[in-house]
Amino acid sequence: MKNKYKNISNLDLFVPQVGLVKAGEEVLTEVDINNSNFEKVEKVKITPPKELITEDKNKLN
Amino acid sequence: MNYLGSKSYLAMIPEVTAGVALKPTTFCPLVSESIKSMLNYNADRRMKGLDWKSDDLLLGDRKHEGDIVIYSDGDNLGHLLNMTYLKGSTTGDSDGYTHPFTVGSPKSYTIEIQKGPYAQRYFGVKADQLKLEFVDQKMQVTASVKATGQFSASALKEALSGSVTSLKLSSAYDLKPTAGLVAGDVITVVGDDGNGVDLTLLTVDADGETLTFASTAITGAIGNRVYLKAQTPSYTGIVDPFFLGDTLIGVGADSTSATTNAGAKSTATGMYSFAFTLKNNLLDASASGSKDPLQLLPQTREAEVTTRRLFETPEQHLAWLNSTKQAITMISTGEEMTTAGTHESLSVKFHKVKLTTNEENLEVDSLIFDTQTFEVLYDSSDGSAIEISLVNKTAGTAY
């Protein structure tokens, strides 16, 4: 499973098996990054607002 | 499962309050490391009616010390100098910061060394001795450090079952077993099923034994292992160390003339080997309030320079016989940091040195060398023994 991490330091950092992650940038990786210069970016499930969920009028019943 | 030492890291961070651990954020590639905790166990020799020496061990004065060896690039050398000497005000900008170091109270560090899945964390770390030498061209620095405590592994004091938000560590090692842990650390608790559960610490309780974390399901018996999970290292561009070939060493009657001589290859002295050792002679005695050294305080400072250069005249022999004052300045130029041509650099000025030994041994087929040992002395006229200036890419705030 891939996780997203953000480099929260002000330095470009090289992480073994991940590569170079520039300051402030995010990286998607299978490597579990346990490092205080990185913050795990929690996955946010995006649900469209109700008014945008419209019934498909063309759908055949 | 086995673990390769080459995958281990050294991580460092200067402490705000000496002896109070922080989570290290600066990672440095190691050449080797041999720091160890000495628990000084002794056999319990109380008369318990046995015809055997003892049935148990009792703790003695705990010490934590050993060597860190790294290649001396400008950025990482700065941290080792910072735990040896006093850094003054940094000048410059991201095109090159200049950090002056003088003899004075060093910063205390928290350092972490990876040992497979866990990290050995030492806090209150200062350098007792710092040796710089050139090994096969490369400047190598060996910091002999001492620490006021460690955290690496512990055990559950109470059983865990179901969803829990806190745990207590065993006091078998220390009455305050959580010393060295900080909020944000990731610890691994080995559950009864043998699997490790990673927990990110929210708080380290003031009682010295309780750790809190977000609600997690764990089943673990008393005595199950709890260890500090090794971090994933991150490096800020690993640059080359300083090289002997890019180092000019000037020798003169005083520091001004030595520095002038170090300014050009034509006036510098070609040294076939050059090394120096700075010593802090740290007080690490045990005292009430801690089973580890209560604090690490520099005592009398001293330093020694060893060199090897071609013998040309009896000048150095006479300087040794007459105990003549000399001065040495070493200027090493490192990697180019900017396109503008600013280089990393290390300048070390020994204001007053005198020869304690000057050997001119003869070997068949070989040119004669002066193999020298200098005692570094305090120069009353300059008001200084040693001055160090380091130019690198690291802002002063990192130290």
Side-chain angles (χ1 to χ4, degrees):
Chain A
M1 195 183 81
K2 287 192 173 183
N3 286 308
K4 194 181 270 188
Y5 294 91
K6 183 176 184 179
N7 177 357
I8 55 169
S9 78
N10 56 4
L11 299 164
D12 298 346
L13 296 169
F14 176 81
V15 181
Q17 298 176 333
V18 175
L20 184 71
V21 187
K22 297 210 167 198
E25 276 191 1
E26 292 177 353
V27 63
L28 199 62
T29 175
E30 284 182 356
V31 174
D32 170 30
I33 300 182
N34 169 29
N35 180 312
S36 24
N37 298 307
F38 286 84
E39 198 173 69
K40 197 169 185 177
V41 180
E42 298 296 336
K43 282 176 190 163
V44 181
K45 194 177 175 185
I46 301 165
T47 324
K50 270 188 177 174
E51 56 270 26
L52 294 178
I53 306 172
T54 51
E55 201 178 325
D56 188 350
K57 306 278 188 202
N58 297 320
K59 194 176 172 188
L60 294 171
N61 290 315
Chain B
M1 190 165 178
N2 303 113
Y3 298 92
L4 194 62
S6 313
K7 296 181 85 169
S8 299
Y9 63 79
L10 163 69
M12 308 176 274
I13 191 167
E15 293 166 351
V16 176
T17 305
V20 178
L22 295 173
K23 190 170 182 178
T25 51
T26 301
F27 293 81
C28 169
L30 281 164
V31 170
S32 69
E33 168 276 327
S34 61
I35 305 175
K36 59 185 177 185
S37 292
M38 286 169 288
L39 307 182
N40 292 317
Y41 284 126
N42 293 308
D44 181 355
R45 299 306 306 276
R46 287 175 289 188
M47 298 174 198
K48 297 180 183 174
L50 302 171
D51 59 1
W52 194 262
K53 180 179 176 182
S54 178
D55 65 347
D56 206 355
L57 295 178
L58 289 174
L59 185 74
D61 287 341
R62 285 198 305 235
K63 306 275 185 202
H64 313 274
E65 59 189 57
D67 291 350
I68 297 167
V69 184
I70 65 165
Y71 280 153
S72 175
D73 66 274
D75 295 305
N76 289 313
L77 175 64
H79 285 289
L80 297 192
L81 286 173
N82 200 31
M83 62 174 80
T84 309
Y85 278 174
L86 174 67
K87 188 184 82 62
S89 296
T90 297
T91 55
D93 53 28
S94 55
D95 285 340
Y97 296 96
T98 301
H99 315 283
F101 291 92
T102 52
V103 177
S105 287
K107 273 277 179 74
S108 180
Y109 271 71
T110 298
I111 66 167
E112 214 175 88
I113 294 153
Q114 182 181 1
K115 302 284 168 79
Y118 82 95
Q120 183 98 39
R121 178 177 289 172
Y122 295 96
F123 48 94
V125 174
K126 291 179 182 172
D128 186 43
Q129 182 174 300
L130 194 75
K131 181 178 187 185
L132 272 84
E133 61 191 322
F134 291 94
V135 178
D136 189 23
Q137 271 292 327
K138 298 166 281 293
M139 188 190 281
Q140 185 171 288
V141 55
T142 304
S144 304
V145 300
K146 291 176 185 274
T148 59
Q150 68 89 31
F151 184 89
S152 49
S154 186
L156 287 179
K157 181 183 182 181
E158 294 169 354
L160 301 175
S161 179
S163 289
V164 288
T165 56
S166 70
L167 60 79
K168 287 188 177 186
L169 294 183
S170 158
S171 56
Y173 170 75
D174 198 282
L175 296 181
K176 303 273 187 187
T178 59
L181 289 174
V182 296
D185 279 337
V186 180
I187 58 166
T188 301
V189 179
V190 178
D192 287 347
D193 59 2
N195 293 324
V197 178
D198 291 347
L199 303 169
T200 302
L201 300 184
L202 295 176
T203 60
V204 178
D205 203 287
D207 67 1
E209 59 176 14
T210 307
L211 303 169
T212 69
F213 41 85
S215 182
T216 309
I218 318 171
T219 303
I222 293 172
N224 277 18
R225 281 193 311 280
V226 179
Y227 57 83
L228 178 61
K229 188 181 180 183
Q231 294 193 61
T232 311
S234 60
Y235 299 102
T236 53
I238 300 166
V239 299
D240 284 348
F242 294 110
F243 291 110
L244 181 62
D246 299 323
T247 298
L248 293 175
I249 298 162
V251 182
D254 57 30
S255 189
T256 308
S257 113
T259 303
T260 305
N261 289 339
K265 192 174 173 180
S266 56
T267 50
T269 304
M271 295 292 186
Y272 286 78
S273 78
F274 187 81
F276 61 88
T277 305
L278 314 174
K279 293 180 185 173
N280 272 333
N281 294 312
L282 290 176
L283 169 78
D284 66 348
S286 59
S288 59
S290 178
K291 290 190 175 105
D292 308 289
L294 181 67
Q295 53 190 337
L296 296 170
L297 298 173
Q299 302 180 103
T300 302
R301 279 79 163 198
E302 59 183 302
E304 188 180 86
V305 179
T306 55
T307 72
R308 188 164 185 263
R309 61 169 138 172
L310 274 175
F311 166 80
E312 288 173 357
T313 72
E315 180 208 357
Q316 290 298 309
H317 178 67
L318 183 61
W320 169 64
L321 287 176
N322 289 357
S323 185
T324 306
K325 170 189 167 180
Q326 299 182 74
I328 300 175
T329 296
M330 181 196 87
I331 301 172
S332 288
T333 306
E335 279 201 358
E336 198 171 53
M337 292 184 290
T338 65
T339 47
T342 311
H343 287 259
E344 288 190 337
S345 79
L346 171 68
S347 151
V348 184
K349 292 179 185 176
F350 299 99
H351 286 255
K352 180 178 180 179
V353 295
K354 286 191 173 184
L355 283 160
T356 52
T357 61
N358 187 66
E359 294 173 5
E360 293 164 351
N361 295 340
L362 303 181
E363 289 176 29
V364 173
D365 298 335
S366 296
L367 290 171
I368 304 173
F369 281 84
D370 277 316
T371 304
Q372 309 180 295
T373 307
F374 292 92
E375 177 82 18
V376 178
L377 303 164
Y378 182 79
D379 190 344
S380 297
S381 55
D382 290 355
S384 181
I386 296 172
E387 268 181 278
I388 299 173
S389 176
L390 178 70
V391 178
N392 63 15
K393 297 186 296 298
T394 307
T397 48
Y399 299 119

